[in-house]
Amino acid sequence: MQFLWYFLVLVKPPKSSLKVIKEITIIPKPANAILNAGNFKITKNTVIFCNNNDLLPVAEYMVAKISGAMGFSLQIKEGTGKGINFKISDTADSTSGNESYKLQVTPKNIELTANKANGIFYGIQTLLQMLPPQIKSSSLQQNVEWKIPCVEIEDSPRFPWRGLMLDVSRHFFTKEEVKAYIDQLAEYKMNVFHWHLSDDQGWRIEIKSLPKLTEIGAWRAERVGDWWQREPRQENEPVTYGGFYTHEDIKEIVQYAKDRFVEIVPEIDVPGHSLAAIAAYPEISCTHSVKDINVGNKFYTVDENSLCPGKEITFEYLDKIFTEIAMLFPSEYIHVGGDECYKGFWSKCPDCQKRIQNEKLKDTYELQSYFIKRMEKMLEAKNKKLVGWDEILEGGLAPNATVMSWRGMENGIKAAKEGHQVIMTPTNHCYLDLYQGEPSVEPATYSICRLSDSYNFEPVPDEVDPNLILGGQGNLWSEAVPTFRHAEYMTWPRGWALAEVFWTSKENKNWENFVTRVEDHFVRADFGKINYARSMYNAIVTPFNDENGILKIKLDTEIKDLKIFFTFDNTNPDSYSPKYETPLFIPKNATRLRIITYKDEKPAGKMISLRIDELQKRVL
Ligand code: ACM
Ligand code: ZN
């Protein structure tokens, strides 16, 4: 921060042209930005100059991003000159890190300076977001002036770990979809893609030394319908749903991510959530009883999904798996899961009991801790660091483990107090699989995490050393996410909120200002054919019993400047219907409440229609 203030003092642009930034709508919000008068216009004659060969790939990235909409490609040249200049600073500023950048746009020149190509890449994202929204289109946009406003921006991230997680096990996403997800998160200056590659419903990565993991583990019976309510696979039913990534696919995706300064942290979830692996190789389980890959039917405690830590063969197979994982992924971290491990089969397994005795362990929690500690040694022998979900604290934390705190922040706090690194991903702020607004107008899922819940996330608790909080990430579990369009719907705009939480300083955040920028990014996403949720426009419906025990309905909105209209007469409400002012009494014999929000005299949210008896149930 000190560095940034220094810059502001140094620059002193002419007072007359100075304005507090309003018109530019960058997400995440830059640390310091000054908007000046005038624009830099990109034409087909504009040249991108790079003062260092390391910058040629990012210049090519920018050209690729803009040429579809502009209909021309910019020339890239080495050196400096009049036009767009990308510069590695010759006096590297040790206080600002690899990801910071300085951007100066004048009518004649663009100068983007950083210590490293990472910073230039983030400066490019800022430039792209300052171009008209049509730039997101991949097809030629006629009659658009490609102007970038004159600005002085000084920017750097708050946290080094700014991530999104995608679960490709419950539903499979193709190589191209995974790339698109990485591309989208990188555009918001996120730098970690946590790839949940295995679970009970599918094993998604080729392991050449254990081919049945994908021959058997990657395929299940095809189903639709609510998760956990589905009919189990029937006898002789074909297993047609699934897929996996080959080593060649993985290498391609890793390179694609690297080109966007995104580190892929692979997760192989063990010892729990391992039904797909067990179905492929029953010898690594306690009872050898599992046959079918789960389709989203209820199975916990009945079908075995935990590896047997009593058998040596389990660790031999894991060593084969993690040897290939370590070879394929350059990240220094490997995530081993560790969450929600059902231990019922361990209690009855002679091998597990023998292990408990021989290792002088107290119970199955210490057996899980024994397992994770062995995993840590296994990974360290491959020069990798272990990350695990916060259950890895149970029974004792492995010495060098990094903890991903998901069941609230408490376990993250505990781990940090023990001196461990922590990534904060508490469900109520970071779980992108949760409802993002009124459930009756959203696809079925559970609990709730509104856009404002994501935006108001503060990853650093008061009582811990902030240096141990690496950052955070949004997690998209895919039980109820069967398509990539829906993955986008669940991710954006909450992912934008989290991008700002992880990049922008606490002091620089502002919810109302963020919402105006989100609205601009909706337009950009439309041009980019990227799906997103408009749930922030839907009314918030809160039934309650008043002091006399009478049911009343409070209506509210997540964002300001919305008007709420309602009916009890079984007609669709519009702006001529009664306008909500104070909590509603329910008229005698009414059966339904219908609600709609308006913004600027136009319908904004979805129409919500709720039976009075459903509202009554919500109070209980
Ligand atoms: C988790 O949500 N089971 C980490
Ligand atoms: Zn066992």
Side-chain angles (χ1 to χ4, degrees), residues 370-431:
Y370 163 86
F371 176 93
I372 298 289
K373 284 175 183 158
R374 259 187 94 165
M375 292 307 304
E376 179 171 84
K377 284 209 186 95
M378 189 187 285
L379 294 189
E380 284 178 349
K382 303 176 200 311
N383 280 324
K384 299 290 185 184
K385 294 181 184 165
L386 179 143
V387 192
W389 299 110
D390 62 47
E391 286 93 332
I392 65 172
L393 271 93
E394 294 164 4
L397 203 44
N400 304 312
T402 297
V403 172
M404 208 167 252
S405 189
W406 71 280
R407 297 174 299 175
M409 311 269 280
E410 293 70 26
N411 286 310
I413 292 169
K414 205 165 153 218
K417 283 186 174 164
E418 291 178 26
H420 289 259
Q421 291 184 327
V422 172
I423 297 139
M424 288 294 189
T425 72
T427 51
N428 53 342
H429 296 289
C430 296
Y431 267 41

Side-chain angles (χ1 to χ4, degrees), residues 165 170 194 196 199 267 269 273 300 335 337-340 388-391 404-407 425 427 431 433 446 475 477 479:
M165 186 212 80
R170 276 53 180 270
H194 170 175
H196 186 78
D199 216 300
E267 180 186 353
D269 200 349
H273 285 277
Y300 248 81
H335 201 304
D339 57 321
E340 299 177 316
W389 299 110
D390 62 47
E391 286 93 332
M404 208 167 252
S405 189
W406 71 280
R407 297 174 299 175
T425 72
T427 51
Y431 267 41
D433 55 328
Y446 67 105
N475 295 332
W477 300 100
E479 287 93 334

Side-chain angles (χ1 to χ4, degrees), residues 320-388:
K320 288 182 186 192
I321 292 167
F322 283 99
T323 296
E324 294 189 33
I325 297 281
M327 184 195 77
L328 286 167
F329 293 95
S331 170
E332 60 177 333
Y333 293 98
I334 291 179
H335 201 304
V336 300
D339 57 321
E340 299 177 316
C341 175
Y342 177 67
K343 301 172 184 74
F345 292 92
W346 294 359
S347 303
K348 296 182 204 126
C349 167
D351 295 321
C352 285
Q353 290 309 310
K354 204 173 331 147
R355 181 78 79 194
I356 286 177
Q357 244 177 20
N358 290 350
E359 297 294 331
K360 302 190 173 35
L361 307 172
K362 223 168 54 213
D363 52 22
T364 50
Y365 286 93
E366 289 201 357
L367 182 56
Q368 152 129 345
S369 167
Y370 163 86
F371 176 93
I372 298 289
K373 284 175 183 158
R374 259 187 94 165
M375 292 307 304
E376 179 171 84
K377 284 209 186 95
M378 189 187 285
L379 294 189
E380 284 178 349
K382 303 176 200 311
N383 280 324
K384 299 290 185 184
K385 294 181 184 165
L386 179 143
V387 192

Side-chain angles (χ1 to χ4, degrees), residues 39-159:
N39 299 287
F40 179 97
K41 196 168 154 188
I42 297 181
T43 69
K44 61 180 185 313
N45 300 321
T46 304
V47 176
I48 301 179
F49 292 95
C50 298
N51 80 339
N52 186 304
N53 285 349
D54 288 354
L55 300 181
L56 297 174
V58 289
E60 280 157 18
Y61 164 93
M62 175 155 164
V63 170
K65 281 279 177 193
I66 63 181
S67 53
M70 289 187 181
F72 50 79
S73 281
L74 301 190
Q75 228 192 318
I76 300 169
K77 287 188 181 166
E78 288 175 41
T80 57
K82 190 166 160 292
I84 301 175
N85 279 274
F86 294 164
K87 290 184 174 170
I88 298 273
S89 163
D90 44 13
T91 52
D93 184 326
S94 60
T95 58
S96 67
N98 290 345
E99 297 187 306
S100 65
Y101 66 91
K102 262 195 237 181
L103 175 64
Q104 183 148 32
V105 179
T106 67
K108 291 204 162 65
N109 263 306
I110 291 180
E111 196 150 309
L112 175 56
T113 315
N115 290 339
K116 284 268 168 13
N118 312 46
I120 300 293
F121 181 79
Y122 296 131
I124 289 172
Q125 301 313 330
T126 294
L127 281 172
L128 293 172
Q129 290 191 16
M130 287 193 294
L131 279 161
Q134 292 92 329
I135 198 66
K136 290 284 292 174
S137 172
S138 56
S139 60
L140 179 62
Q141 301 293 300
Q142 306 279 5
N143 305 322
V144 180
E145 285 202 301
W146 301 110
K147 286 179 179 170
I148 298 177
C150 292
V151 286
E152 289 149 31
I153 291 179
E154 180 83 30
D155 202 7
S156 58
R158 181 176 175 198
F159 293 105

